[in-house]
Amino acid sequence: MTLLTADVVLPCLDEAEALPWVLARIPAGWRAIVVDNGSTDGSAGIAAGLGATVVTEPRRGFGAACHAGLLACDAEFVCFCDCDASLDPGLLPGLVGAVADGSADLLLGRRRPVARGAWPVHARAGNLALSWLLRRRTGLRLHDLGPLRAARREALLGLGLSDRRSGYPLQMVVRAADAGWRVRELDVPYLPRAGRSKVTGTWRGTWQAVHDMRKVLDEPTQTSTPASAPTQTPTPTPTPTTGVRP
């Protein structure tokens, strides 16, 4: 049986506190690509010292960091994960496995909070609103637009993603749907993040992100390269176990 490996893109802005835990949870043999997006707390040096590949992206924006990481990847499979210790990278093999066996072309982790305060009310409200708008735009019945996700690298590049702000994750899903991809979600535990969120830590940040994403939803339907799917019979997706961050 072939051991699956992947590159893991970790957009990073002042995550020195979380990096040791996050990088320790990267699956063995996988490459962590930490994209430093202007950190002032030494995050880049910490990541490099822990063995990660560090990419510097001077243009500020979540999408700018994510796409710089995607361009730095060379593995067949690419994963995205927040770098704040709210999501466990150790769960990624289950997501990649579903893409590899043909069960999905893009697999998203549906966040399930494991503690009070892990997911603020205003952030949940914004996510619900976007999920409803996404369903109306694409027909996809998703519950979360979470940042833990997996897909094939070449297929992702074929989507021609252009947003470099908070709309990047949504644009990935919208363009995948337009291209006829099988987009699925899988429950994953959502842990209290280390430090304060730069986006969902405030109502203003949350609704600015929603504004960015509304612009993505107003884009005309795109024609993109279909995701390549293996021919073998799909097998059931493994259920990830709950990660616990000390």
Side-chain angles (χ1 to χ4, degrees):
M1 179 178 179
T2 302
L3 179 64
L4 293 175
T5 60
D7 287 338
V8 183
V9 176
L10 299 156
C12 177
L13 176 59
D14 293 331
E15 302 292 3
E17 181 183 349
L19 274 167
W21 184 85
V22 172
L23 293 177
R25 299 289 298 164
I26 298 293
W30 292 30
R31 183 167 65 132
I33 300 177
V34 174
V35 185
D36 186 64
N37 200 212
S39 298
T40 58
D41 65 350
S43 288
I46 292 171
L50 292 171
T53 296
V54 176
V55 173
T56 300
E57 174 49 67
R59 181 179 177 181
R60 292 291 285 269
F62 184 75
C66 286
H67 202 70
L70 174 60
L71 294 177
C73 293
D74 56 21
E76 179 181 0
F77 301 100
V78 172
C79 301
F80 294 86
C81 182
D82 275 356
C83 205
D84 58 11
S86 63
L87 293 161
D88 183 357
L91 302 176
L92 287 170
L95 277 68
V96 171
V99 176
D101 70 22
S103 300
D105 299 312
L106 174 63
L107 197 59
L108 311 178
R110 180 186 180 184
R111 291 169 288 185
R112 294 293 199 174
V114 300
R116 290 179 62 85
W119 200 356
V121 172
H122 55 272
R124 292 197 200 198
N127 189 72
L128 285 172
L130 286 168
S131 295
W132 182 80
L133 291 169
L134 176 69
R135 184 178 304 178
R136 189 173 67 173
R137 164 66 171 76
T138 67
L140 292 175
R141 301 182 66 84
L142 299 177
H143 301 85
D144 186 17
L145 299 173
L148 194 73
R149 48 187 64 192
R152 282 184 164 82
R153 179 177 61 88
E154 289 294 338
L156 283 172
L157 291 171
L159 293 178
L161 300 175
S162 59
D163 190 280
R164 297 296 181 262
R165 292 169 55 90
S166 298
Y168 187 89
L170 177 63
Q171 188 181 59
M172 183 185 296
V173 176
V174 169
R175 292 198 176 180
D178 287 350
W181 289 25
R182 293 157 298 175
V183 182
R184 291 183 50 206
E185 57 185 9
L186 180 69
D187 287 357
V188 295
Y190 194 45
L191 312 171
R193 63 158 289 141
R196 187 180 184 186
S197 171
K198 289 79 176 175
V199 177
T200 59
T202 65
W203 277 96
R204 181 177 181 180
T206 297
W207 289 109
Q208 179 60 53
V210 171
H211 174 74
D212 290 344
M213 294 183 184
R214 266 309 288 267
K215 291 194 296 184
V216 170
L217 291 168
D218 290 338
E219 292 180 352
T221 300
Q222 301 286 320
T223 301
S224 306
T225 303
S228 57
T231 57
Q232 64 261 38
T233 302
T235 56
T237 302
T239 301
T241 56
T242 301
V244 179
R245 173 166 56 86

